[in-house]
Amino acid sequence: MTGRMIAGALMLAGCAAAPAEPGIPEQGAGRCNAAPALGLVGSRRSEAVGAEAMRRSGATTLRWIGPDAIITQDLRSDRINIDLDAGGRVTGLRCF
């Protein structure tokens, strides 16, 4: 193999997808599973917490739900809903 071929092979190997963590769906898989994200209960609302909930659940969309929020009941298998208390802490995570 020439040096160029080796370099190309190494570059392609670096692009290979890393194996998913056990129990965590592939990000953006389109089907939400809230169970892997339940460890975020008690966290304070933040962009990082939202992103982590999406990563862990496989959801492609996110909705924050405050204690007095009025929400639509449209069912979406790709959405993680994060319930918040009055202080902005996560009280639950659900997919719908």
Side-chain angles (χ1 to χ4, degrees), residues 57-81:
S57 69
T60 57
T61 60
L62 164 73
R63 177 167 61 174
W64 298 99
I65 303 174
D68 296 322
I70 298 172
I71 60 170
T72 61
Q73 293 297 314
D74 59 321
L75 301 177
R76 295 191 51 183
S77 63
D78 67 333
R79 178 173 56 205
I80 184 89
N81 295 278

Side-chain angles (χ1 to χ4, degrees):
M1 262 188 167
T2 68
R4 238 183 187 172
M5 291 173 68
I6 292 171
L10 290 173
M11 286 176 56
L12 287 175
C15 293
E21 296 174 52
I24 295 181
E26 181 180 331
Q27 181 149 5
R31 300 279 309 160
C32 178
N33 176 10
L38 291 176
L40 297 171
V41 170
S43 300
R44 188 166 295 284
R45 178 182 175 163
S46 70
E47 188 174 317
V49 167
E52 184 63 10
M54 289 179 66
R55 185 188 77 79
R56 290 185 188 186
S57 69
T60 57
T61 60
L62 164 73
R63 177 167 61 174
W64 298 99
I65 303 174
D68 296 322
I70 298 172
I71 60 170
T72 61
Q73 293 297 314
D74 59 321
L75 301 177
R76 295 191 51 183
S77 63
D78 67 333
R79 178 173 56 205
I80 184 89
N81 295 278
I82 303 178
D83 298 313
L84 301 168
D85 66 13
R89 291 214 180 265
V90 176
T91 60
L93 297 102
R94 301 171 284 144
C95 294
F96 68 84

